[in-house]
Amino acid sequence: MRSKKTKANDSFTLISVLFCLLYFTSYMTRKSFSAVKLGIPDSVLTDVQIGYIGSALFFTYGAGQIVSGLLGDRIDPRKLIFCGLGVTTLCNAAFPFVTSVPLLIVLWAINGFAQALFWPPIVKLMTIYLKGERYTKAVMSVSMAAQIALLAVYASAALFVSLTAWKGMFALSCALAVITGVGLVFGFRTLERRHPNAVRDALAGKTVEMIDAPDESEAQPAPKKEGLWRIILSSGLLFVFVMTATVGFLRDGIEEWMSTYLYTTFTLEADLSTLMNLFMPVFGLFCVRMAAVLHLRIIKDEMREVTVLMSICAAATLALGLFHTLHPVFSIVMIVLSVGCIHAANTSLTCYLPARFVKSGRVSTVSGLVNAFTYVGSTIATSAVPWLVQTTSWQATILSWCAVGLACLAACVLIGRTWKRFLKQNED
């Protein structure tokens, strides 16, 4: 007969694998369009139209995070995940066959809302089953899966762009989504057999026994749901919202337009410019791992973690802005460094921070709100970057990234004492 510890380890592994696969698929079905945009002929879509379509996804993704977060604390998060997976599959399947730009904007806006049904439910489910170091390790695995997904997206996109077959990217994304759906059905059934009614009890405010090994096992006390505004004000979440908005602006502003910057500044080929995106997730893997180490072993404070990471990002974007035409290798190094730090900061804010609100019963809600503001920044960046480039220059645009990074640092300083007081009040 298998020991309780072995079963706990198996469940932990299963949870990590399931959510890594889901988030990998989420990135593939979300980034499918933006990754191949350089392969789409101008006769089909112009850069401005591409910006509108990307902004539509970010807008509904951000707004949907709030809805998803609120629902995730009230209904079975697994239902939200399957709903989102089904809708995003249909959107990716339909995209290559739609020729009207307004319809494409609507279609990708629907895809954005479907994508919003993933992250808050994932965080909710992980906090139901896991805590402490196990939770941090699972989050790190999921975050690394996202970086690996970026590698897969950009590598696949470079191949499809070189073959002038950009529509193939959407077929690949749909196939992966179907496989993921089947895997989730069997995976969730297995978890339900091992830990019956855990999700239902957590949503009902009942005590839930986590899957930790025997020497760490303890029941999670039923949370007392507190008023949302009271939580926001007592924890300083208003400053966190500013921080996540700036992180979203930088992350997607740089990621979405890096290939265009390299293509126009150094006259690189379109498929080569797209392939250069591979450097970002490679370094991003290292930075996500670094964020986990900072959180578990060294700093253990999300605000201080973000301060360190965004200081490096601001310095890198400043150097890039001052010497943006120096050499493509220098530009790639600075971009990769800044985006890697941004991803690590985003991991601290959107993955580790919501778990601080378990006692208040608002994990999914806070996760949704924090992620929503991330995509407020993303929505602005997707349209603002091409507009800034057209009306000013790449140098001015890049220097604006540095200014946004400094704004994030200012918010970190302002929230400092409030966040420390909140952490002390919510220590386990």
Side-chain angles (χ1 to χ4, degrees):
M1 187 172 180
R2 299 170 69 213
S3 68
K4 183 177 179 181
K5 184 175 182 179
T6 301
K7 291 181 179 179
N9 289 335
D10 288 348
S11 293
F12 170 72
T13 301
L14 177 59
I15 289 169
S16 299
V17 170
L18 283 179
F19 292 140
C20 283
L21 176 61
L22 175 59
Y23 217 53
F24 182 96
T25 302
S26 170
Y27 264 64
M28 290 290 289
T29 50
R30 189 194 321 165
K31 297 281 188 179
S32 50
F33 166 67
S34 63
V36 295
K37 63 178 180 286
L38 285 180
I40 302 176
D42 290 339
S43 58
V44 178
L45 290 172
T46 66
D47 280 350
V48 173
Q49 290 170 336
I50 287 173
Y52 290 151
I53 294 170
S55 292
L57 180 140
F58 287 134
F59 177 79
T60 54
Y61 185 84
Q65 291 290 326
I66 300 174
V67 177
S68 178
L70 291 170
L71 291 177
D73 281 325
R74 289 168 172 78
I75 65 175
D76 191 333
R78 294 169 295 189
K79 294 179 180 179
L80 297 177
I81 288 172
F82 280 116
C83 179
L85 192 60
V87 173
T88 195
T89 303
L90 294 175
C91 289
N92 274 267
F95 192 96
F97 303 101
V98 178
T99 56
S100 167
V101 174
L103 286 180
L104 284 174
I105 293 173
V106 172
L107 180 68
W108 223 231
I110 294 172
N111 188 37
F113 189 85
Q115 293 285 331
L117 299 179
F118 294 136
W119 185 245
I122 287 175
V123 174
K124 181 67 175 182
L125 288 170
M126 286 196 294
T127 57
I128 288 173
Y129 291 114
L130 308 169
K131 72 174 230 177
E133 188 166 334
R134 281 185 182 271
Y135 174 83
T136 301
K137 287 181 177 179
V139 166
M140 181 191 70
S141 298
V142 174
S143 300
M144 292 181 74
Q147 298 302 310
I148 295 171
L150 286 174
L151 276 171
V153 166
Y154 291 129
S156 303
L159 174 62
F160 287 122
V161 168
S162 66
L163 296 174
T164 63
W166 60 271
K167 294 182 180 181
M169 188 70 197
F170 296 92
L172 176 64
S173 300
C174 288
L176 181 60
V178 171
I179 294 170
T180 299
V182 174
L184 288 176
V185 168
F186 289 102
F188 283 147
R189 285 179 180 176
T190 301
L191 282 175
E192 188 68 17
R193 286 196 302 270
R194 293 178 182 173
H195 314 283
N197 304 322
V199 176
R200 186 190 66 186
D201 289 347
L203 293 173
K206 298 179 180 178
T207 298
V208 177
E209 184 177 351
M210 296 184 172
I211 69 167
D212 293 308
D215 57 331
E216 300 174 347
S217 181
E218 61 180 57
Q220 177 183 2
K224 296 181 180 180
K225 188 165 287 187
E226 298 180 22
L228 182 57
W229 274 109
R230 180 181 176 182
I231 294 171
I232 290 174
L233 294 175
S234 65
S235 63
L237 273 178
L238 290 176
F239 291 107
V240 174
F241 297 155
V242 173
M243 293 160 61
T244 53
T246 59
V247 166
F249 182 96
L250 291 170
R251 183 192 63 190
D252 291 294
I254 298 174
E255 278 188 356
E256 294 289 318
W257 296 99
M258 171 189 173
S259 55
T260 304
Y261 157 68
L262 294 173
Y263 177 69
T264 56
T265 304
F266 301 106
T267 61
L268 299 180
E269 295 296 329
D271 55 346
L272 182 59
S273 296
T274 302
L275 194 61
M276 290 300 101
N277 285 305
L278 290 175
F279 288 106
M280 288 188 291
V282 168
F283 189 67
L285 286 169
F286 167 77
C287 289
V288 168
R289 174 62 180 167
M290 180 178 66
V293 172
L294 286 174
H295 187 72
L296 276 174
R297 305 283 182 248
I298 303 174
I299 299 179
K300 302 179 182 180
D301 181 328
E302 290 82 1
M303 297 309 125
R304 291 168 60 196
E305 292 162 13
V306 173
T307 300
V308 171
L309 293 164
M310 292 307 295
S311 295
I312 299 172
C313 173
T317 52
L318 176 61
L320 179 63
L322 295 177
F323 306 104
H324 71 292
T325 60
L326 181 62
H327 195 278
V329 173
F330 173 79
S331 294
I332 291 169
V333 169
M334 291 299 103
I335 289 173
V336 167
L337 179 60
S338 59
V339 171
C341 290
I342 291 165
H343 274 289
N346 186 61
T347 298
S348 292
L349 292 171
T350 63
C351 302
Y352 301 139
L353 183 143
R356 302 286 193 179
F357 296 84
V358 168
K359 287 187 176 181
S360 63
R362 294 284 187 175
V363 172
S364 182
T365 301
V366 170
S367 176
L369 285 169
V370 169
N371 232 11
F373 278 90
T374 301
Y375 283 89
V376 169
S378 298
T379 303
I380 296 171
T382 307
S383 295
V385 170
W387 179 81
L388 280 170
V389 172
Q390 289 182 3
T391 56
T392 57
S393 64
W394 270 111
Q395 183 175 40
T397 302
I398 295 169
L399 289 175
S400 74
W401 296 342
C402 180
V404 172
L406 292 175
C408 182
L409 288 174
C412 287
V413 173
L414 292 172
I415 194 181
R417 291 184 179 179
T418 303
W419 183 249
K420 286 181 180 178
R421 185 166 57 249
F422 174 78
L423 291 183
K424 185 173 289 188
Q425 293 171 352
N426 287 271
E427 287 178 350
D428 293 330

